[in-house]
């Protein structure tokens, strides 16, 4: 009992010290809201972060027993046994989102991983796919709790790293009247210091089949303060086999530069490196580039691509005009597919083919009944998780993948927090994003 109370008291103390300027009720921070992430720390002290083995509900006991969690009490190093290869590795920030309703584990790649883990648990595939996160946490109570919660959600954590000096990241979200969020980050934070070590290098081999999902924001500091995440993302982008990297564009002012975003999209040749083709960029194409409608305009300007200039064309976010814009951007940014999300108006997906006979799909989106404290936090991450699962893990048709992604994104947009439990979704949406349909 003493140990359990001490753990809960320590976490509460850390939270109060680090975000005391917020008007958040910290008494609710570690209560089950939503159930998918928020697990009562006191009642689950026996499932503490330092357990060397945990159960994956969708994997066999023999497979699960071959996994071991990294411990924040020591420097991260390779484990002495061969790790089963994850089907998807999400690389980037793992941090805590401070929202008006409480504090939740977040970060775009982390949210994608949690949604993928939920989709994998309901998968009908006999392959039992798994997802892991490669991120850096602080050697503090929030880092330990982040690792523990990821494990509970079924996300593999053996690729987590821990920084002895920089704290686990915290993002304070400011929600506007439309439910949209802007963020303020503590800087520097542990997630700015992801290292490219042997564990990551071992996944980038010709005979290893892994999809890499990364965002642009983890490289925000570039080399400032001794940060390493930017170089790690670039190394994975340039070293991974063609068609295995998914890039999620997240432009959070002031944490980006055109040069860094374009280098991640195009690959090493964006800086004039080897492998540059006549069209620019690396010979290794991205599997998918995802961005929203505002980011589409920004990247068109950076790439010198013609956007919408004729008033008669409207906003250029539908039909042949949007298809042309996405096709030009896909060529300029060296990617096999481009997906543009349009908020409540759904999304569009363009798949480039070698014979220039592109496939273009649009979906008007789904909506679910929202409550008064709902927000759009994590809706894009849920969308991307469903898209990655359907396109690259289940190998479904692009049109079907877009439909599933819009359904899961629409559900999350109607909820509070980034990772509501999939089982709580309305049945009509669940039938769409669930693989069983």
């Amino acid at each position: 009992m003493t140990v359990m109370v001490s753990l809960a008291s320590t976490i509460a103390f850390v939270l109060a010290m680090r975000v005391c300027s917020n008007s958040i009720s910290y008494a609710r921070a570690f209560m089950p809201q939503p159930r998918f992430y928020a697990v009562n720390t006191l009642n689950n002290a026996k499932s503490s972060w330092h357990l060397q083995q945990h159960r994956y509900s969708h994997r066999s006991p023999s497979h699960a027993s071959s996994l071991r969690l990294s411990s924040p009490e020591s420097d991260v190093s390779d484990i002495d046994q061969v790790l089963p290869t994850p089907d998807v590795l999400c690389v980037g920030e793992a941090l805590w989102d401070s929202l008006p309703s409480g504090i939740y584990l977040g970060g775009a790649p982390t949210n994608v991983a949690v949604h993928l883990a939920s989709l994998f648990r309901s998968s009908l595939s006999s392959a039992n796919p798994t997802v892991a996160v490669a991120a850096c946490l602080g050697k503090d109570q929030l880092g330990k709790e982040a690792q523990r919660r990821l494990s509970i959600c079924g996300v593999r954590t053996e690729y987590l790293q821990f920084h002895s000096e920089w704290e686990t990241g915290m993002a304070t979200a400011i929600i506007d009247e439309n439910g949209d969020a802007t963020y303020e980050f503590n800087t520097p934070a542990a997630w700015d210091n992801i290292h490219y070590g042997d564990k990551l290098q071992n996944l980038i081999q010709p005979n290893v089949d892994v999809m890499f999902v990364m965002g642009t924001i983890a490289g925000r500091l570039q080399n400032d303060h001794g940060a390493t995440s930017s170089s790690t993302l670039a190394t994975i982008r340039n070293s991974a086999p063609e068609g295995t990297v998914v890039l999620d564009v997240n432009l959070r002012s002031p944490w980006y530069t055109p040069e860094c975003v374009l280098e991640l999209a195009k690959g090493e040749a964006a800086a004039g490196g080897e492998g540059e083709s006549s069209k620019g960029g690396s010979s290794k194409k991205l599997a998918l580039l995802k961005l929203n409608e505002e980011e589409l305009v920004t990247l068109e300007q950076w790439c010198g691509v013609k956007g919408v200039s004729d008033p008669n064309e409207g906003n250029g976010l539908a039909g042949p005009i949007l298809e042309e814009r996405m096709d030009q951007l896909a060529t300029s940014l060296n990617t096999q597919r481009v997906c543009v999300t349009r908020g409540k108006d759904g999304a569009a997906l363009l798949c480039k083919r070698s014979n220039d006979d592109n496939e273009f799909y649009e979906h008007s989106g789904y909506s679910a009944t929202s409550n008064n404290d709902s927000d759009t936090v994590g809706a894009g991450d849920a969308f991307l998780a469903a898209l990655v699962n359907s396109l690259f893990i289940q190998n479904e048709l692009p049109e079907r993948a877009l439909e599933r992604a819009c359904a899961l994104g629409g559900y999350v947009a109607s909820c509070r927090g980034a990772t509501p439990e999939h089982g709580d979704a309305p049945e009509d949406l669940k039938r769409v994003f669930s693989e069983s349909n």
Side-chain angles (χ1 to χ4, degrees):
M1 178 65 70
T2 301
V3 174
M4 295 165 65
V5 173
S6 175
L7 176 59
S9 300
T10 302
I11 294 175
F13 174 77
V14 172
L15 290 173
M17 291 297 292
R18 291 180 56 188
V19 292
C20 61
S21 61
N22 298 317
S23 59
I24 299 172
S25 172
Y26 294 103
R28 301 178 60 193
F30 290 103
M31 294 180 66
Q33 47 163 346
R35 294 201 315 265
F36 196 67
Y37 253 151
V39 180
N40 187 299
T41 302
L42 187 61
N43 292 338
N44 290 276
K46 293 182 179 179
S47 301
S48 184
W49 55 269
H50 55 71
L51 293 179
Q52 294 299 301
Q53 177 177 324
H54 76 279
R55 296 184 299 273
Y56 290 92
S57 60
H58 58 290
R59 303 189 68 83
S60 65
S62 60
H63 197 157
S65 64
S66 66
L67 304 179
R68 195 177 78 189
L69 303 181
S70 301
S71 170
E73 293 301 322
S74 61
D75 292 334
V76 176
S77 60
D78 290 336
I79 64 176
D80 55 6
Q81 59 221 107
V82 177
L83 294 172
T85 302
D87 296 88
V88 181
L89 183 73
C90 297
V91 187
E93 66 274 16
L95 47 80
W96 292 91
D97 285 330
S98 176
L99 303 176
S101 57
I103 296 179
Y104 304 92
L105 187 59
T110 301
N111 293 336
V112 171
V114 171
H115 283 293
L116 277 171
S118 182
L119 292 169
F120 290 168
R121 282 197 300 273
S122 62
S123 173
L124 300 178
S125 172
S126 60
N128 294 325
T130 64
V131 58
V133 166
C136 189
L137 301 166
K139 285 189 177 180
D140 49 31
Q141 292 290 1
L142 292 179
K144 297 173 185 178
E145 183 65 15
Q147 182 183 28
R148 190 181 74 88
R149 294 194 185 198
L150 286 170
S151 299
I152 290 172
C153 292
V155 177
R156 291 172 51 178
T157 62
E158 65 266 28
Y159 297 92
L160 287 179
Q161 303 168 17
F162 294 87
H163 201 283
S164 59
E165 297 180 5
W166 292 356
E167 295 178 333
T168 299
M170 176 75 74
T172 301
I174 302 171
I175 310 297
D176 64 21
E177 59 184 9
N178 297 319
D180 297 323
T182 56
Y183 298 89
E184 296 178 356
F185 301 96
N186 63 326
T187 305
W191 59 274
D192 295 308
N193 207 55
I194 305 170
H195 282 268
Y196 184 73
D198 290 343
K199 284 185 182 180
L200 292 179
Q201 187 174 357
N202 289 340
L203 292 179
I204 302 178
Q205 305 293 336
N207 59 339
V208 178
D209 187 14
V210 181
M211 289 299 302
F212 298 91
V213 178
M214 63 176 65
T216 56
I217 194 169
R220 61 177 182 149
L221 295 185
Q222 301 179 55
N223 298 322
D224 293 348
H225 304 283
T228 58
S229 294
S230 179
S231 62
T232 295
L233 292 176
T235 299
I236 293 174
R237 165 66 180 101
N238 295 326
S239 303
E242 176 162 299
T244 62
V245 175
V246 174
L247 181 62
D248 185 12
V249 177
N250 290 306
L251 302 184
R252 302 284 187 264
S253 181
W255 302 115
Y256 64 86
T257 65
E259 294 78 16
C260 288
V261 174
L262 293 179
E263 284 179 14
L264 275 181
K266 295 181 178 181
E268 60 186 349
E274 295 180 1
E276 189 168 1
S277 68
S278 59
K279 294 184 179 181
S282 166
S283 59
K284 296 179 180 178
K285 295 182 180 295
L286 289 171
L288 170 70
L289 178 81
K290 172 190 163 288
L291 67 170
N292 63 31
E293 54 195 284
E294 295 175 350
E295 292 161 344
L296 171 63
V297 175
T298 300
L299 265 67
E300 284 177 331
Q301 294 172 347
W302 291 351
C303 296
V305 173
K306 176 183 175 295
V308 176
S309 57
D310 185 348
N312 296 324
E313 294 179 348
N315 61 11
L317 288 174
I321 297 175
L322 179 60
E323 179 181 0
E324 181 181 358
R325 295 175 68 185
M326 294 171 66
D327 180 43
Q328 292 176 350
L329 197 65
T331 300
S332 179
L333 293 181
N334 201 36
T335 180
Q336 296 172 344
R337 302 168 186 83
V338 173
C339 183
V340 175
T341 58
R342 306 178 295 200
K344 61 181 178 58
D345 296 319
L349 175 65
L350 180 131
C351 304
K352 288 187 69 67
R353 303 304 181 193
S354 57
N355 58 1
D356 292 329
D357 185 17
N358 299 332
E359 297 180 31
F360 178 71
Y361 305 94
E362 294 185 89
H363 195 283
S364 59
Y366 290 95
S367 61
T369 302
S370 304
N371 51 42
N372 292 333
D373 59 354
S374 64
D375 54 61
T376 62
V377 175
D381 304 330
F383 175 97
L384 181 58
L387 193 65
V388 167
N389 178 50
S390 184
L391 276 179
F392 305 117
I393 305 302
Q394 309 303 334
N395 295 313
E396 295 183 313
L397 294 175
E399 185 175 16
R400 182 58 168 154
L402 186 62
E403 182 183 23
R404 292 192 189 277
C406 285
L408 185 55
Y411 164 57
V412 173
S414 72
C415 299
R416 180 181 64 189
T419 53
E421 189 168 348
H422 290 188
D424 292 339
E427 287 300 323
D428 58 334
L429 293 184
K430 196 187 311 181
R431 282 194 295 269
V432 178
F433 68 71
S434 172
E435 186 193 332
S436 58
N437 183 26

